[in-house]
Amino acid sequence: MNSPAGAPVRFERVSVRYSGSQTEAVDAVAFDVRPGEFVVLLGPSGCGKSTLLRTVNRLVVPNAGRVLVGDKDTATLDAVQLRRRIGYVIQAVGLFSHMTVAQNVAVVPSLLHWDRARIDARIDELLHMVRLDPARYRDRFPKELSGGEQQRVGVARALAAEPEILLMDEPFAAVDAIVRHALQDEIAEIARRLGTTVLFVTHDVDEALRLAARIAILERGRLVQYDAPLRILTAPAAPFVESLLDTHDVVRRLSLKCARDAMQPPRDGAGPDVREDVSLREILNDFLRGAATVHVLDGNARRIGSLSFGDVVAAVASS
Amino acid sequence: MFAHMHVVMMDTGQHLALVAVALAISIALALPLGVLAARHPTISAPLLAALGVLYTIPSLAILALLVAYVGLGAGPALVTMVAYAQFVLVRNVAAALHGVPVAQSDAAMGLGMSDAQRLMRVELPSAFPVILGGVRIAAVALIAIASLAGYVNGGGLGTMIFDGLQRDYLEEILAGSIPIALLAIAVDTGFRLIERRASRWR
């Protein structure tokens, strides 16, 4: 895989208060995002997660604290220039309806004055990346696309100029569950391949568990917990986290399923072996001890499959 | 009437020229004013109120007032036409810009467009078909108002209408008014065709 092309992001006691409001929308939030890391901002609506996201590209300016992108305080950078280095995907997609798919994808490269040939090549490359056949889609207008196709174009447009950071604000909330799962898998794969740092806002717990390397949980503008999904499930920092993630229920669902139910085809890689009828809850302990992969054996000690933590989450998510 | 075909043609040409010049000036004024009104709600209300007052004054009255100060000719007629068109156009441009989906403006900002780029590349093109509809309505109205130019020695098809009225000469009145009606229908149809082409993506 490529070395990470993503930039680190650091929130230093960031506070935002909207004019006319008595309370802070974001209240002294501080955490670090590593280069190339996939971080999900999770919380109920009104918890400040979108506001926090929008401080990164300065669509929202903090009243206090600093946001650092690639070690530079964003307050010292030109907002327009900063935004061209940061991909931005929103729930409403916001494709420009008078432009074709190709013209939409080309927006940031043309703002950056790339030459025509490079832009054309990049459009095809990006459409392939989001699994839209350029020959069929290049010259279509947004109204001729389904919701899922529109958001694929939205993702392609955000990635066009090889941004160091990708901001996604509930990008898949408006598409149906099947398309949403496909898009989740694809964005995870794309982010991994490109090494882009991703900040992803959602109120969907399953989505957060599926995608995140780390989850930042926000409640009324405050950061309640910032940790890996596994740690959050097994060691919720507050009653709020427990109820938000319904951690008891997740653990219960884990104990109802066994390795066989969640396993994927056998993979290479070191890791402990488990019997196919062992519950996922027990397997969770292996991941807690640091295993990246767990191998599943049948009654004759033959390896019939492998499991990652993601597979375990996927098996209990939305089931 | 047919014996004076060349006169009718010449007056029609003048009439169209009056409308074209008035429309061009009107659009050049109304676009920035409409953008201003759309961006700044505090300016929007008083601006539209002022233009609304102008709009309700009968155009003949404005014209009479102008002639008293600047004399006869095409000038006062053009000013009257422009003043009348402002209310229609400014309100329409502002409404068209308000109609641009918020998500598109948000995406434009988030992708790194400056304010001017957002306006020129996203908001105005997106609002264009609606703006064009307003221009069509203004153009048709201006074709009618341009008749008043004939009353103040400003040329156009109104010349024959007012001359005919004075001489109680029905054929001359018709020679002026029928081409005006045809002109209005032709311009309306032409703009509708352009509108349809411009709205392919909607």
Side-chain angles (χ1 to χ4, degrees):
Chain A
M1 289 293 143
N2 297 345
S3 59
V9 179
R10 164 175 284 189
F11 298 98
E12 286 183 350
R13 296 190 57 78
V14 173
S15 294
V16 178
R17 180 195 290 249
Y18 288 117
S19 56
S21 168
Q22 292 298 305
T23 54
E24 315 276 328
V26 172
D27 191 358
V29 169
F31 66 93
D32 280 312
V33 180
R34 290 189 281 263
E37 193 173 18
F38 200 125
V39 166
V40 171
L41 310 181
L42 177 67
S45 51
C47 71
K49 55 194 190 301
S50 290
T51 302
L52 184 65
L53 186 83
R54 288 158 66 91
T55 62
V56 178
N57 62 0
R58 284 191 81 74
L59 286 174
V60 170
V61 178
N63 300 87
R66 304 197 302 168
V67 181
L68 283 77
V69 166
D71 303 326
K72 284 219 174 64
D73 182 352
T74 53
T76 66
L77 302 173
D78 178 69
V80 166
Q81 297 299 328
L82 174 72
R83 288 170 195 157
R84 293 178 189 174
R85 294 164 45 203
I86 299 178
Y88 185 51
V89 182
I90 53 180
Q91 182 185 337
V93 191
L95 291 184
F96 305 129
S97 47
H98 62 287
M99 295 185 194
T100 63
V101 166
Q103 289 167 333
N104 267 284
V105 174
V107 163
V108 184
S110 55
L111 287 173
L112 295 170
H113 305 295
W114 289 17
D115 65 65
R116 195 64 244 173
R118 185 176 171 206
I119 292 178
D120 277 338
R122 184 68 181 149
I123 291 166
D124 285 353
E125 185 185 350
L126 285 157
L127 290 179
H128 279 302
M129 192 190 285
V130 297
R131 302 193 187 183
L132 296 173
D133 177 10
R136 281 183 57 205
Y137 285 93
R138 252 178 166 273
D139 299 323
R140 292 203 189 170
F141 285 104
K143 69 155 188 197
E144 300 168 305
L145 307 178
S146 71
E149 288 168 340
Q150 287 188 13
Q151 197 52 290
R152 282 167 197 271
V153 177
V155 170
R157 181 175 67 176
L159 291 171
E162 292 158 358
E164 300 150 77
I165 298 167
L166 183 59
L167 305 179
M168 308 187 82
D169 195 349
E170 309 225 18
F172 309 141
V175 294
D176 66 66
I178 293 170
V179 174
R180 182 158 65 238
H181 281 177
L183 287 170
Q184 285 167 350
D185 291 345
E186 284 165 34
I187 197 64
E189 160 61 22
I190 288 170
R192 195 159 42 233
R193 188 148 40 91
L194 300 179
T196 313
T197 307
V198 182
L199 281 136
F200 188 111
V201 163
T202 187
H203 63 266
D204 178 342
V205 172
D206 292 332
E207 184 167 66
L209 292 173
R210 277 170 76 101
L211 290 173
R214 283 194 283 179
I215 300 177
I217 295 178
L218 291 154
E219 181 196 17
R220 277 183 266 133
R222 294 228 172 99
L223 182 66
V224 185
Q225 189 167 12
Y226 181 46
D227 220 329
L230 188 60
R231 294 275 307 158
I232 285 177
L233 275 181
T234 52
F240 171 75
V241 179
E242 272 181 54
S243 64
L244 179 71
L245 274 78
D246 210 351
T247 51
H248 299 298
D249 184 56
V250 173
V251 172
R252 187 180 57 77
R253 278 188 277 167
L254 283 172
S255 55
L256 292 174
K257 292 201 168 186
C258 62
R260 194 172 46 231
D261 300 326
M263 71 185 184
Q264 299 296 312
R267 277 195 290 269
D268 293 333
D273 294 325
V274 297
R275 288 266 305 265
E276 58 176 327
D277 54 358
V278 169
S279 86
L280 293 179
R281 183 168 181 183
E282 284 171 68
I283 292 172
L284 207 53
N285 290 323
D286 291 314
F287 290 116
L288 273 174
R289 281 188 221 103
T293 311
V294 172
H295 300 291
V296 184
L297 309 179
D298 67 6
N300 301 320
R302 243 173 356 111
R303 187 179 286 187
I304 57 171
S306 300
L307 277 169
S308 67
F309 174 67
D311 299 329
V312 172
V313 169
V316 293
S318 57
S319 57
Chain B
M1 174 174 168
F2 292 103
H4 302 289
M5 200 60 191
H6 68 283
V7 178
V8 175
M9 293 303 285
M10 208 181 71
D11 283 357
T12 306
Q14 275 181 358
H15 202 94
L16 262 182
L18 277 171
V19 171
V21 171
L23 196 61
I25 298 172
S26 301
I27 293 171
L29 283 174
L31 269 180
L33 286 177
V35 171
L36 203 67
R39 291 258 164 117
H40 305 283
T42 47
I43 297 178
S44 163
L47 176 65
L48 287 175
L51 292 176
V53 169
L54 214 53
Y55 181 78
T56 49
I57 301 173
S59 22
L60 196 57
I62 300 184
L63 191 62
L65 211 64
L66 280 168
V67 168
Y69 283 98
V70 300
L72 296 170
L78 283 174
V79 174
T80 306
M81 290 162 78
V82 170
Y84 185 85
Q86 283 314 292
F87 180 65
V88 178
L89 285 174
V90 171
R91 199 178 52 166
N92 172 261
V93 169
L97 288 173
H98 276 303
V100 176
V102 176
Q104 290 189 27
S105 301
D106 190 27
M109 263 191 290
L111 291 171
M113 288 192 193
S114 65
D115 282 353
Q117 286 167 334
R118 175 162 53 102
L119 183 69
M120 300 307 288
R121 296 188 186 207
V122 175
E123 292 172 343
L124 282 177
S126 181
F128 183 66
V130 180
I131 293 176
L132 210 53
V135 171
R136 171 172 56 79
I137 292 164
V140 171
L142 289 184
I143 288 173
I145 301 175
S147 317
L148 294 179
Y151 192 61
V152 294
N153 209 9
L157 289 160
T159 313
M160 281 189 288
I161 297 179
F162 288 108
D163 195 51
L165 282 170
Q166 203 147 40
R167 293 161 50 184
D168 200 12
Y169 184 17
L170 181 65
E171 276 187 31
E172 195 181 4
I173 297 173
L174 290 178
S177 50
I178 291 173
I180 289 178
L182 293 177
L183 217 52
I185 293 169
V187 166
D188 186 71
T189 311
F191 267 108
R192 281 182 196 277
L193 285 175
I194 304 172
E195 264 174 78
R196 196 175 314 159
R197 272 198 61 79
S199 322
R200 263 176 318 141
W201 47 267
R202 296 182 95 207

